[in-house]
């Protein structure tokens, strides 16, 4: 049975499953992944029966009007079980009082987010792939 929890300090005891950032040439380490969860405005995790994080979504925000959802990930062996859909649903409920909730995704994922109530928009971006694994601080 999958449980869903909004990130708080009591999630530090959870193991982060191996295999996130599937297909990334330079994925963040488990330590950087934990920093992502801890440093976000909101993080919601899906946890399996072994207290392992098998999926997550995070949001960054000004806490007033806007929020951005940069990452939604489900471990490959748990995909197509509704976990990603549930994570998005819960995050959108958490962010319901914001004026704007934005995310960027590849074209092949747009139909998934449309089913979650989002609509296609224009956007601009920069990607520094040399920093994809997580910028070192200090």
């Amino acid at each position: 049975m999958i449980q869903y929890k909004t990130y708080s300090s009591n999630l530090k005891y959870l193991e982060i499953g191996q295999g996130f950032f599937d297909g990334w040439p330079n994925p963040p380490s488990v330590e950087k992944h934990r920093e992502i969860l801890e440093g976000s405005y909101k993080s919601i995790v899906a946890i399996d029966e072994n207290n392992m994080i098998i999926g997550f979504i995070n949001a960054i925000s000004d806490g007033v009007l806007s929020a951005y959802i940069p990452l939604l990930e489900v471990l490959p062996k748990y995909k197509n079980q509704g976990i990603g859909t549930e994570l998005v649903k819960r995050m959108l409920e958490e962010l319901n009082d914001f004026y704007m909730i934005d995310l960027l995704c590849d074209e092949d994922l747009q139909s998934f987010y449309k089913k979650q109530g989002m609509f296609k928009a224009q956007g601009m971006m920069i990607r520094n792939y040399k920093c994809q694994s997580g910028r070192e601080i200090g």
Side-chain angles (χ1 to χ4, degrees):
M1 181 172 173
I2 307 299
Q3 294 182 332
Y4 298 88
K5 294 187 180 186
T6 300
Y7 181 82
S8 62
S9 60
N10 67 352
L11 292 180
K12 290 184 181 208
Y13 69 92
L14 296 172
E15 181 181 346
I16 296 178
Q18 297 295 313
F20 282 109
F21 307 104
D22 188 35
W24 287 38
N26 191 18
S29 66
V30 172
E31 294 79 21
K32 289 291 181 187
H33 188 171
R34 193 168 295 280
E35 284 181 42
I36 291 167
L37 295 175
E38 292 173 355
S40 296
Y41 176 76
K42 296 272 183 188
S43 292
I44 301 172
V45 295
I47 305 162
D48 72 3
E49 62 278 353
N50 297 315
N51 284 327
M52 184 182 323
I53 296 173
I54 58 158
F56 75 95
I57 188 170
N58 70 313
I60 54 178
S61 174
D62 59 15
V64 180
L65 290 178
S66 61
Y68 176 69
I69 299 172
L71 297 168
L72 166 66
E73 292 269 342
V74 176
L75 289 176
K77 83 177 213 177
Y78 290 93
K79 287 186 177 183
N80 300 313
Q81 297 180 31
I83 295 168
T85 298
E86 185 64 24
L87 287 166
V88 171
K89 176 184 156 224
R90 287 171 182 255
M91 183 59 80
L92 293 177
E93 287 172 1
E94 290 278 341
L95 302 174
N96 190 45
D97 293 334
F98 286 91
Y99 163 66
M100 64 178 114
I101 303 166
D102 299 334
L103 67 79
L104 289 175
C105 66
D106 293 335
E107 192 171 349
D108 64 327
L109 296 172
Q110 289 176 353
S111 63
F112 170 78
Y113 289 107
K114 185 175 182 177
K115 290 175 190 172
Q116 313 314 313
M118 302 185 96
F119 57 90
K120 189 175 177 178
Q122 298 287 327
M124 303 298 290
M125 65 181 198
I126 294 174
R127 292 289 186 261
N128 293 317
Y129 289 105
K130 66 182 182 206
C131 299
Q132 190 176 41
S133 65
R135 174 173 59 101
E136 293 295 325
I137 299 174

